Amino acid sequence: MKFGIVYHWRDPFEIVQMADDFLELRIFEEDLKNKYRPWKSKLKELRKDWDYEISIHMPEYFEHPNTGLNTLVDLASTERKIYNFSLEVIKTLIEFGKSIEASKIIIHPGGISEQPALGDTTKKMDRLKKSLSEISGMEFAGDILLENMPWFYWRRDGTRWFSTICYTPQDFRPLLKYCDGMVLDFSHGYLSDSSGSNRYLEEYTELYKDQIQYVHIADSLPPDNEGLQIGEGNINFEGILNKLDKTQLWLVPEVWKGHENFGEGFEIALDRINHLI
């Protein structure tokens, strides 16, 4: 198993030092606007003394060229402009990943809506298949990984929306042939059901043990409290982690505000996880 840490180029160097094996770069819309220039200079500096592997988490938002509003990146959108802009964001991200020799790129499926899925989601799933197929055809030596979503989705402005696709294990069956594997987010998996369910997490491990390459680790409480410190929620970490193939697994603590106080929350999470496995 490889252990990493979530990192943005503005974070203090002490956070980098917590990573045993790799850094997960968190990308924001400002990084898109400045064409990743601060990232390139920061990584050049870091690599003088540190030999970490790199994974990249896609930006959740982009600045809509027509409205100037921060808009969710949505590879499943049935709105043509949002779909096209979203696909371009991910293609640009992959080009950046190639330039820094990243090993893995993490992608959200999209399909986030103000209202829950009340009808057929076939069009959204078809859009996602199309975008993943196009992305997988790009020249990239690393792995493209698809992440599972929770039932409730918190937007940055504090409003609670809904995932309409990829919040249940069955949703991934027709998708994984278009990518290299998946990220199992423990908080998201537990909150696939608004009442909270370790059974959903167990089902992910039973169905996709060989495809799960990467895990995001944080605790949760129903109906929508994700990103809690390990041990402050109801997730059965020990039981579920032991069902996965640890030889191929990359693990990142994803505790809410874990980067504050020089990464204190991340450090606590890593320590608690190490005592469980």
Side-chain angles (χ1 to χ4, degrees):
M1 185 182 293
K2 295 183 178 181
F3 292 88
I5 210 78
V6 172
Y7 177 69
H8 187 264
W9 61 264
R10 293 173 303 196
D11 290 336
F13 184 67
E14 286 82 356
I15 289 181
V16 174
Q17 294 175 301
M18 290 180 193
D20 287 343
D21 303 296
F22 69 97
L23 297 175
E24 181 183 303
L25 311 187
R26 283 301 166 97
I27 307 299
F28 297 100
E29 55 271 26
E30 67 187 68
D31 300 315
L32 301 176
K33 288 193 290 184
N34 61 36
K35 301 186 181 198
Y36 300 102
R37 282 187 290 268
W39 269 119
K40 291 175 181 178
S41 61
K42 175 59 74 172
L43 290 171
K44 185 177 180 181
E45 175 188 335
L46 289 176
R47 280 175 163 167
K48 290 178 183 177
D49 302 305
W50 302 87
D51 187 26
Y52 291 124
E53 289 189 81
I54 298 292
S55 66
I56 308 175
H57 194 293
M58 61 161 265
E60 291 191 48
Y61 295 85
F62 67 94
E63 186 178 291
H64 198 294
N66 295 345
T67 65
L69 298 175
N70 285 339
T71 304
L72 281 168
V73 175
D74 189 352
L75 294 174
S77 178
T78 55
E79 294 183 37
R80 182 176 57 83
K81 288 184 178 179
I82 290 178
Y83 174 82
N84 289 338
F85 288 139
S86 297
L87 191 55
E88 188 59 32
V89 165
I90 301 303
K91 287 182 175 180
T92 303
L93 182 74
I94 291 172
E95 291 299 326
F96 170 59
K98 285 170 58 179
S99 74
I100 63 169
E101 299 180 332
S103 298
K104 300 180 188 295
I105 292 178
I106 299 163
I107 292 177
H108 284 188
I112 307 300
S113 173
E114 283 189 85
Q115 302 297 326
L118 300 175
D120 189 4
T121 59
T122 301
K123 288 184 179 179
K124 289 182 180 180
M125 290 291 281
D126 286 345
R127 282 283 193 169
L128 180 55
K129 290 175 191 175
K130 180 181 177 184
S131 58
L132 290 174
S133 179
E134 192 165 338
I135 290 164
S136 66
M138 295 181 67
E139 183 181 339
F140 177 63
D143 296 322
I144 306 294
L145 305 178
L146 191 63
E147 182 176 344
N148 62 306
M149 293 287 102
W151 169 242
F152 291 120
Y153 182 96
W154 286 108
R155 287 171 54 94
R156 190 185 297 164
D157 61 8
T159 56
R160 193 177 73 173
W161 284 24
F162 298 86
S163 296
T164 61
I165 58 173
C166 294
Y167 62 90
T168 68
Q170 291 77 18
D171 284 350
F172 285 83
R173 284 188 184 276
L175 298 173
L176 290 178
K177 66 180 179 181
Y178 299 102
C179 52
D180 300 301
M182 70 176 292
V183 177
L184 179 59
D185 185 300
F186 273 52
S187 269
H188 291 176
Y190 180 80
L191 295 174
S192 294
D193 185 318
S194 61
S195 61
S197 175
N198 278 302
R199 179 59 198 146
Y200 263 130
L201 281 169
E202 291 168 0
E203 192 171 344
Y204 275 112
T205 65
E206 291 162 4
L207 291 173
Y208 308 117
K209 178 180 178 179
D210 295 334
Q211 288 79 33
I212 295 170
Q213 297 186 23
Y214 201 108
V215 290
H216 284 155
I217 296 289
D219 221 331
S220 295
L221 288 170
D224 56 14
N225 294 295
E226 62 175 286
L228 302 181
Q229 184 56 264
I230 309 302
E232 296 180 3
N234 293 337
I235 293 179
N236 176 18
F237 290 100
E238 185 175 8
I240 294 160
L241 279 170
N242 285 331
K243 293 177 182 289
L244 295 172
D245 180 2
K246 296 189 184 70
T247 61
Q248 70 165 357
L249 209 59
W250 290 33
L251 182 149
V252 169
E254 203 177 38
V255 175
W256 176 245
K257 296 187 177 180
H259 65 287
E260 293 183 352
N261 297 319
F262 302 99
E264 180 182 19
F266 292 153
E267 186 173 20
I268 293 169
L270 284 170
D271 181 65
R272 292 182 180 179
I273 286 296
N274 272 302
H275 281 88
L276 292 174
I277 57 176

